[in-house]
């Protein structure tokens, strides 16, 4: 069981993320960023994930192949609010993509965060390689991959299941699917078999767990168990995590509060109050603190310069000169 | 006048009613959304596919083989690149079977920059697509052509790739689609879905006609004597604007809208270049192994002795993506200013 | 139970196919054809398949998405030996591809045989479409797709499983995987999970059967049952069929008799003799008959003209003129 | 002298021993086969992948991200077209992450016709590949370059596409690879696997060196004054033979072997064209939106006033595949006779 202190910490990080995401949405609506996509509704799972990661660079740490709803994980790992706001406002100082990519498209070499990319499911192909490297080198790290439910229809999902479960060549990959029951506007039951996602992993002999991603404490425990298995057995494990999509798909679909879905923060607050770990005024104070941090960060970012147009040729190749040849 | 998105919707409706189209499908193509750009709103045969582009193209090909007339959508051309082997097969099935199996299908997909789409909602596709055989490839630059080309695409017995210049989807046309009501507001009331709950909504379709727009025919949008400007899709209106501004300087541009990228209208192109002696091809795809280079190569081979200045390509920078930030996007794809500068330079070359 | 007459017919067709394939192999070795690939070892399954197909053109007949080991099925359906030899010798009169494609790459419009193509597994994507057309039109035909075991690692296999098993949108597809336990040179257990192929279909809620493809009688029964289910329930069914690969992968790997694998014709002969349905002299006579047919056909084909070089532009488009534009 | 297949194998062995290559993988790449063309026979780090090209490229990219130096094979380039989205990502990861993630990987794949491979063992890939950014792309025309370019490809910090002209894999080189024994029979005894059971066999590797062949440098194979012939891969030896025959007619060809298709050696190309005033690019990829058209476009833009004849492309016919039958294949890709005819015609153009 997690101590009160640990529960408080989780709560704080959940709220911090939510505040940040709501700020990003406001930025989009007021023209301070072209597009928003993010993870409100997934904090109760993504914060515990961030806490349990073996963070660092190289094979002896966990390799992370994330999708665009992982802000809670990144903030938990230590990412700064202001940096996310920088990416939202696409300024040159955006440390993840230099103003090139959408918000929540992270890339952090020191933490093995492989850069998040918009195409759905490709990370399930790339993660095979870090898994192979870790397996062969008998490294201490494992590979963790996350993505959505609709995306499991892409072939890379099968590639990941198959390559990681080859007999005597199993890979240490924690395969996570966050199931919010939607593609953009397409309900899951319209395009998927009723057997569910975890069943498909079982077909490869992969161990699985179904997790209520709206509860941070059960999420934490389930993650601990699954990670323990992958770290020790060096075999794949699939977690299907049921989460909410509180602001719809993205700014393309309006980014308005949708209602009718469980809000993990509200739910957790009820628990914390019941267990007398925190009270309403604590909640308010925390929220305020992060709202101020976000606001301050935004003011700073709004003054920062946009990228230099000539910089488009930077990083085409490792040695820039080749890019300019043409 | 209809927007390009409405024009596509009207064409698909005409296809459902008159041309045997029973499947209009892709990711989020069916209700409630009707496509991320509303191109398939309210269509009775529109349905949502799994999030699987390879399955979508495979399904379309199977439907075509089975004698249906499917229209499949890939949500953004940025996500079509995992299907290229299948596209090649759609295009080679007739040939491989020595004429036995026809594949009459349409694939539509939005292309190009201009909506702050960043790296994965800004891709062009014509250069790779024109390198694939057995397909006809079209790209409208206005609502009227969007309508006419779609009807012809559906009726063609070959696979047709229908590239949508996404930044133009909301732009209104200047020419009335056959059957379109006079007032664009009326059209909107009839066929645009309401905000909020749409479960009870039904569109009211106008009574539409077929303008019979042949594939493979370019359109001279502006006649001129000094320089041939060959373009299509999103760059076409920019070229027109550039031509208007250059006219004030005494530079007389002939602007050609290709409309069909393959098979393309060689006669119109060659006739124009032979007249003007100068040619610029403008598109926004990246510049290395670019479709415009094919057009220029054919011009150089066939009209070499008419050329008075180097035939020139103005295209996207050879970088891996369009950056989100405004200055990055502007530096990556042709802008009005760079078009004007390039045309002026070529016009002035002695 | 199949009558003696039916069993004899199956035997004849199996031998006919084997004789043809062995002739093709000889043609390759003597320079009368550039490349050989085919189905020796799969006759005991592929002949019953051919017998049970609802043969004809259009949605009310079965749509067939085959791979390159289906000669037995095609001969059973009525394809002529000489036509296969024509494709092997790539003459203009090859009715399947006009001398363009490898042998056993069939295409027959009147029988719904969609043209066989070399890339592995793509047929599992295309078959979705004929399945959708048949489901929507409430047609009498079903869709049948075949392919090998190694190829199930490609994403199209998952596409087929997923699209055909969507809740309330199931497709009438008989999904067949002929498991010869090899990719070209790669043993299955080196690159696949030990759970097996049928288990993966179960993960989608698809019914499955494992079939001994070396026995034509049990194959016939299993096919009858599976087809009955697909025809009636209009839902997918997966058959994993264990077969032999008697001459190796193709001429690229030598096309020599490999040994150590069960030969379905020998096995069936034992049964037929035991049941007193046929005797050794019958076997010999049948073999001789087809050897002569094959030889005669070859002599004829060797005189036939090769395709006209200018014909490369035929069938680029339905209306040829467009192809010549460039 | 080593064959090209042996040269690649030697280079990969050098890579295993000296350059940190721990994964050489793909379909049938490991024992017992060692690749359908024997390029990976006997290598200690070669292994068999599942039959899943998307998994192969994904795995290679993940390995590169994890700091390994993978060499992945796609068995035939005909089967690489379902991975183009992933190839694009290998090429854009550095750029998208603004320099954070390097992707040092090599993909090798056999291309081109010439082995009676029919529709799906004859594909070219350079035109689509050069349209993908962030990759270096090489294609040797002889065993020595095959060796040197592979070592440089492995050492390059960027993704490198290594295109193998499959019809040349058995052709012997003229130049000795550093460390290669004098007698090719000896080499064969040392490193070619025996027929039959190989489970006990181990190769004996020669002690090899690195010729340090930089990427991006073309090689003038033959100097000449009248016409620049730019080619690479399988077409290069044909161009050399054509040049030899034309020399008897007094046509003096300069034959340039690009070796690296991107980034390509502009200086060598432009210098040559400025000298000769005539240029033909020869390759076997299909002719619409062909890589050679890019080279010609740059030449036309940069050397226009030096040109004495239309810059010309000789490439594959724009058809969906190479037919199996000999007359079909010959009509589809350039042959010695068509190369000679084209060069002669361009040389004679007034
Ligand atoms: C390959 C690909 N196809 C389509 C899209 C467009 N798209 C973006 S998000 C999305 C839905 C994803 O749903 P899911 O996988 O369930 O993830 P979620 O967003 O619900 O977390 C789609 C279709 C894309 N980004 N990539
Ligand atoms: C997409 C693709 N990748 C690779 C190949 C090369 N190839 C031809 S057959 C084959 C092995 C196929 O094994 P399996 O699917 O088990 O079928 P089998 O030949 O054993 O019946 C391979 C790798 C191909 N034809 N297509
Ligand atoms: Mg979802
Ligand atoms: Mg097999």
């Amino acid at each position: 069981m997690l101590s009160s202190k640990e529960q408080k910490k989780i709560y704080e990080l959940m709220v911090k993320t939510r505040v940040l995401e709501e700020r990003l949405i406001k930025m989009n609506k007021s023209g301070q960023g072209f597009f928003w996509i993010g993870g409100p509704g997934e904090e109760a799972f993504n914060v515990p994930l961030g806490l349990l990661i073996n963070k660092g660079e190289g094979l002896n740490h966990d390799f992370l192949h994330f999708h665009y709803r992982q802000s809670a994980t990144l903030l938990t790992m230590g990412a700064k609010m202001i940096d996310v706001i920088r990416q939202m406002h696409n300024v040159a100082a955006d440390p993840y993509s230099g103003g090139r990519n959408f918000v929540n498209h992270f890339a952090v070499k020191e933490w093995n965060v492989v850069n998040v990319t918009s195409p759905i499911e490709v990370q399930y192909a790339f993660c095979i390689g870090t898994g192979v490297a870790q397996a062969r080198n008998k490294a201490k790290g494992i590979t963790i991959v996350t993505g959505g439910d609709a995306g499991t229809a892409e072939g890379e999902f099968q590639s990941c299941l198959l390559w990681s479960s080859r007999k005597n060549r199993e890979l240490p990959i924690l395969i996570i699917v966050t199931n919010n029951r939607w593609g953009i506007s397409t309900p899951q039951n319209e395009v998927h078999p009723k057997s569910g996602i975890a069943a498909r992993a079982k077909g490869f002999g992969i161990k699985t767990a179904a997790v209520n991603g709206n509860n941070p404490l059960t999420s934490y425990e389930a993650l601990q168990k699954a990670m323990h298995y992958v770290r020790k057995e060096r075999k794949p494990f699939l977690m299907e995590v049921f989460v909410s999509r509180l602001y719809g798909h993205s700014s393309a679909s309006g980014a308005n509060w949708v209602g009718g879905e469980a809000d993990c923060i509200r739910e957790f607050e009820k628990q914390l109050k019941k267990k007398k770990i925190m009270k309403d005024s604590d909640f308010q104070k925390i929220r305020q603190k992060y709202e101020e941090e976000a606001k301050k960060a935004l003011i700073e970012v709004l003054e920062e310069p946009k990228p230099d147009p000539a910089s488009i040729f930077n990083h085409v190749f490792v040695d820039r000169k080749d890019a300019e040849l043409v | 006048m209809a927007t390009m998105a409405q024009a596509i919707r009207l064409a698909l409706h005409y296809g459902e009613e008159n041309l045997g189209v029973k499947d209009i499908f892709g990711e989020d193509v069916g209700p409630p959304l009707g496509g991320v750009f509303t191109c398939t709103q309210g269509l009775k045969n529109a349905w949502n596919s799994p999030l699987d582009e390879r399955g979508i193209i495979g399904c379309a090909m199977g439907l075509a083989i089975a004698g249906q007339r499917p229209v499949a959508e890939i949500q953004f051309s940025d996500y079509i690149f995992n299907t290229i082997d299948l596209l090649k097969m759609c295009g080679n099935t007739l040939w491989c079977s020595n004429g036995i199996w026809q594949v009459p299908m349409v694939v539509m997909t939005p292309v190009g920059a201009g909506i702050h789409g960043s790296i994965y909602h800004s891709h062009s596709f014509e250069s790779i697509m024109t390198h694939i055989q057995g397909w006809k490839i079209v790209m409208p630059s206005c609502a009227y052509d969007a309508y006419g080309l779609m009807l012809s695409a559906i009726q063609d017995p070959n696979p047709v790739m229908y590239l949508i210049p996404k930044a133009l989807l909301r732009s209104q046309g200047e020419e009335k689609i056959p059957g379109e009501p006079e007032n664009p507001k009326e059209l909107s009331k009839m066929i645009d879905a309401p905000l909020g709950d749409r479960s009870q909504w039904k569109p009211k379709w106008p009574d539409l006609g077929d303008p019979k727009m042949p594939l493979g025919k370019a359109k001279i949008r502006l006649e001129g004597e000094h320089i041939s400007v060959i373009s299509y899709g999103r760059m076409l209106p920019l070229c027109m604007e550039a031509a208007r501004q250059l006219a004030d300087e005494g530079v007389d541009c002939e602007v050609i809208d290709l409309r069909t990228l393959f098979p393309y209208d060689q006669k119109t192109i060659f006739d124009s270049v032979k007249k003007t002696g100068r040619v610029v091809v403008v598109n926004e795809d990246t510049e290395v192994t670019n479709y415009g280079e094919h057009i220029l190569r054919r011009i150089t081979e066939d009209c070499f002795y008419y050329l008075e200045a180097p035939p020139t390509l103005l295209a996207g920078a050879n970088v891996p993506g369009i950056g989100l930030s405004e200055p990055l996007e502007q530096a990556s794809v042709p802008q009005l200013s760079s078009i004007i500068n390039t045309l002026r330079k070529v016009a002035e070359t002695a």
Side-chain angles (χ1 to χ4, degrees), chain A residues 43-54:
Chain A
E43 297 91 343
F45 179 79
N46 283 337
V47 168
L49 176 60
L51 291 171
L52 288 163
I53 281 165
N54 165 1

Side-chain angles (χ1 to χ4, degrees), chain A residues 194-258:
Chain A
K194 64 169 179 264
S195 51
I197 292 164
R200 290 161 55 191
K202 282 192 193 127
F204 291 81
I206 295 174
K207 287 208 184 223
T208 68
V211 183
N212 173 7
N214 274 317
N215 183 330
L217 307 182
T218 53
S219 289
Y220 191 96
E221 267 176 52
L223 271 163
Q224 250 183 336
K225 237 166 116 177
M227 281 189 182
H228 180 76
Y229 173 83
V230 179
R231 293 192 195 288
K232 229 189 119 189
E233 303 291 326
R234 314 307 289 168
K235 286 185 182 167
F237 189 101
L238 182 135
M239 294 180 85
E240 182 174 4
V241 187
F242 294 93
V243 295
S244 297
R245 200 180 71 165
L246 295 174
Y247 281 91
H249 177 72
S250 70
S251 57
S253 55
N256 297 315
W257 184 265
V258 291

Side-chain angles (χ1 to χ4, degrees), chain A residues 169-193:
Chain A
R169 286 166 178 77
E170 290 86 355
L171 303 178
I173 307 187
L174 177 59
I175 306 167
I176 296 171
V177 178
T178 51
N179 188 342
N180 59 17
R181 296 171 307 280
W182 291 97
I184 293 179
S185 71
T186 303
Q188 187 181 316
N189 62 14
E190 205 177 304
V191 290
H192 275 253

